[in-house]
Amino acid sequence: MSSAAAPEDTGPTPPSGAQAERPGTIDAVPVRHPWRWVTIAVILALIFLLVRLLLTNDAFNWSFVWQAMVQSPVLNGLMLGTLLGTVGAMVIGITFGIALAVMRLSDNPVLSGVAWIYTWFFRAIPRLVLLTIMGALGVLFPDGLNLIPFGNDLAHLFGADHLGFATIDANRVFVGVLGGIIGLGLSEAAYMAEIARAGILSVDPGQREAACALGMSNGKAMRRIVLPQAMRVIVPPTGNETIAMTKDTSLLIAIPVTTELFFQLSSIGSRTYQTFPVLVAAVLWYLVVCSVLMVVQSRLEAYFGRGFGTSAPDEGFRTRMLSMIGGSK
Amino acid sequence: MSDVMPLVHAVNVHKSFYGVEVLKGIDIDVAAGEVICLLGPSGSGKTTFLRCINQLETIQGGRIWIDGELAGYEEKGGRLHRLNDKRIAAQRREIGMVFQRFNLFPHKTALANIMEAPVHVAGTGKAEAEKRGRELLERVGLGERCDAYPAQLSGGQQQRVAIARALAMDPKLMLFDEPTSALDPELVGEVLAVMRELAAAGMTMIVVTHEMGFAREVADRVVFMDGGVVVEQGPPEDVINNPQHERTQAFLSRIKEETEEHAAALKERVAAEEL
């Protein structure tokens, strides 16, 4: 208990005496990092090779790359298939996913069972297969989709077949970008359900208790107190999922949907025999889109992380590089 | 029931967790304006009983009435009917609770923590709730820290915000579940001061605590629990200074030793810091 050692007990004895000066500011020689200079040399060499390849190899055909990137069918595909597809699928995925997570964690065994089966089913099916199935789904509904479930069955039961409830053409729902959004969104919901469940479980149960003790119903406690805190855990993997989804929109061709970035670029390639430059164009577009998404993600993380941690912001790349070279502070 | 019914009227309360009986028939009455302290060793069921009062735990036997209203059930046609989530939530509004680990909402500022329930449960206007929230923070001595997030406050400050948050719903009854147990010794005093002030203002309080000094000074009555039953109860000077029951005596002498050790350690620490 009484281990509160006096400072004199430890360490080498400091120089004593009336003249002894007290140690002042530390101005030491920093540790040298010779291997860092080696890595810099190797990386500079590799960069040189890459840049030379990019600039001197005619197969890149850069002017063609820039042209291909801004062709109107390509821009159209980017906006509709790739961007709208990503946003739509993620909206469905996140909404359904959170609902599934809440269902999975509920006391109601039917709801939690249904959520489990949903996740089990949609996680098992490859997206390429799922989208192919979406495109073929119209075959199940040759008479169109009933807008009102059981509507026509009831009409038949009461001998009023002539009434005929409104139906829509199944192919208008399942084929095209809408079908792609539904298919990718349903698949995404299965993954988002697991992410959201982990997020909800990460919130201290005392938070729900405190909310309930203030008179909130379970639903309100979930919406106002638990979910906003769960978002802190949910957002980073959701950013990952969104970026993965952007790339998975290139699978839309399985439906088939042709207004999509990669299909449009590769068809330009096959028409003009410039197959390599169009791939470069696709890579550049995907880089642009993902960079924008990363910015959005970091903003969201900052928003939902408020109140957590008081750590100072990162030093920044520039300061770290400067300090490595031993530059002045 | 007569209209002199106490604010809390608990009769023969039983509670088990997975077959282990934690409360074995608790009878406790608390009159309006009364301050009672629940004492007892850990595992005696005092925290569980407190949580049963505002239905964070459901009881398996007995009844609890809060202000004449049966908690959690409704009697219709000679049978008890379980209340739904919304009505249980409405009953909890009348009861404020302060937790050992504060349980402030970390994503909201101190002021937003206090405004949350008035705005989103009681339907008070934002401006009015904010005014009241600032007053409450002032009352617990944190008028300057309205915009601080819980992580930026000390434990004692967080617990005072938690008390203000509970008060914002104008409860008839305040429950305190070991409100100072998670605090550094030098922060206990500021929380107890707020509670003392609250008691003086006439709030009905049930406090689970190990702070004998607080119990002796503030409580109208102390209830000693052990093994899921009430062993003995009465005015603090009787129970604490002159316990009748053997188990109470054993517990109190152990607590006394611990407190003395604690005080000695604290003195040593303060002395070391002054050095």
Side-chain angles (χ1 to χ4, degrees), chain A residues 14-299:
Chain A
S16 54
Q19 301 299 321
E21 209 181 312
R22 290 159 64 75
T25 318
I26 294 177
D27 184 19
V29 180
V31 177
R32 299 292 176 200
H33 297 287
W35 283 102
R36 286 189 178 174
W37 295 102
V38 176
T39 55
I40 288 174
V42 171
I43 285 167
L44 282 178
L46 290 173
I47 290 175
F48 171 76
L49 288 175
L50 180 66
V51 170
R52 196 179 60 174
L53 179 75
L54 289 174
L55 292 181
T56 59
N57 195 315
D58 291 336
F60 278 104
N61 196 352
W62 287 103
S63 63
F64 191 86
V65 169
W66 308 129
Q67 265 183 29
M69 279 179 78
V70 295
Q71 292 303 303
S72 72
V74 171
L75 290 178
N76 222 0
L78 173 73
M79 298 308 285
L80 200 66
T82 307
L83 292 181
L84 184 68
T86 303
V87 171
M90 286 312 292
V91 167
I92 293 180
I94 292 170
T95 321
F96 278 39
I98 290 178
L100 283 165
V102 173
M103 282 166 68
R104 181 79 193 277
L105 294 170
S106 94
D107 294 332
N108 184 333
V110 178
L111 289 183
S112 105
V114 166
W116 187 87
I117 288 171
Y118 182 98
T119 311
W120 166 76
F121 183 80
F122 277 98
R123 274 206 305 195
I125 305 177
R127 285 187 174 165
L128 185 65
V129 176
L130 184 66
L131 289 176
T132 315
I133 294 172
M134 287 301 293
L137 220 48
V139 83
L140 295 180
F141 307 97
D143 301 330
L145 283 174
N146 289 337
L147 287 182
I148 300 161
F150 301 114
N152 284 343
D153 297 310
L154 286 174
H156 185 70
L157 199 64
F158 294 109
D161 279 333
H162 58 280
L163 275 175
F165 283 88
T167 58
I168 45 170
D169 181 3
N171 281 330
R172 283 178 54 193
V173 178
F174 296 129
V175 179
V177 175
L178 182 59
I181 288 176
I182 293 173
L184 289 173
L186 292 180
S187 165
E188 184 58 39
Y191 295 93
M192 282 305 303
E194 292 297 289
I195 292 172
R197 189 165 71 105
I200 292 170
L201 289 176
S202 76
V203 179
D204 174 14
Q207 291 291 310
R208 198 190 64 82
E209 285 186 353
C212 286
L214 286 168
M216 287 193 194
S217 63
N218 285 327
K220 192 170 269 182
M222 177 61 80
R223 278 196 312 279
R224 294 216 38 97
I225 303 302
V226 177
L227 278 181
Q229 292 181 60
M231 289 308 279
R232 196 172 60 93
V233 175
I234 293 174
V235 167
T238 304
N240 260 348
E241 292 290 313
T242 309
I243 287 170
M245 180 61 78
T246 310
K247 296 174 291 179
D248 281 356
T249 55
S250 60
L251 299 173
L252 285 176
I253 190 59
I255 284 188
V257 169
T258 54
T259 46
E260 177 273 312
L261 180 67
F262 185 61
F263 180 83
Q264 290 300 331
L265 279 169
S266 40
S267 66
I268 290 179
S270 39
R271 255 183 284 130
T272 58
Y273 303 108
Q274 295 281 349
T275 44
F276 197 76
V278 295
L279 297 179
V280 176
V283 166
L284 290 177
W285 265 129
Y286 284 120
L287 279 173
V288 169
V289 172
C290 288
S291 309
V292 172
L293 287 174
M294 281 168 69
V295 173
V296 174
Q297 180 183 353
S298 72
R299 292 278 166 83

Side-chain angles (χ1 to χ4, degrees), chain B residues 257-268:
Chain B
E257 270 170 37
E258 270 169 30
T259 319
E260 276 162 8
E261 250 173 54
H262 226 95
L266 192 63
K267 214 182 234 171
E268 207 172 286

Side-chain angles (χ1 to χ4, degrees), chain A residues 1-4 7 204-207 209-220 224-225 228-229 304 306-310, chain B residues 51 54 56 85-86 89-90 92-93 95 97 99 103-108 116-117 120-121 149 151-152 165-166 169 265 268 272:
Chain A
M1 204 46 239
S2 60
S3 62
D204 174 14
Q207 291 291 310
E209 285 186 353
C212 286
L214 286 168
M216 287 193 194
S217 63
N218 285 327
K220 192 170 269 182
R224 294 216 38 97
I225 303 302
Q229 292 181 60
F304 284 111
R306 71 198 188 283
F308 287 91
T310 43
Chain B
R51 290 164 59 84
N54 75 345
L56 289 178
D85 178 42
K86 286 245 153 55
R92 287 196 187 113
R93 267 177 230 181
I95 303 171
M97 181 146 187
F99 297 85
N103 297 2
L104 288 180
F105 306 136
H107 59 309
K108 291 175 181 294
E116 179 66 25
H120 294 281
V121 177
Y149 283 98
Q152 299 163 332
R165 178 176 71 174
M169 290 296 279
E268 207 172 286

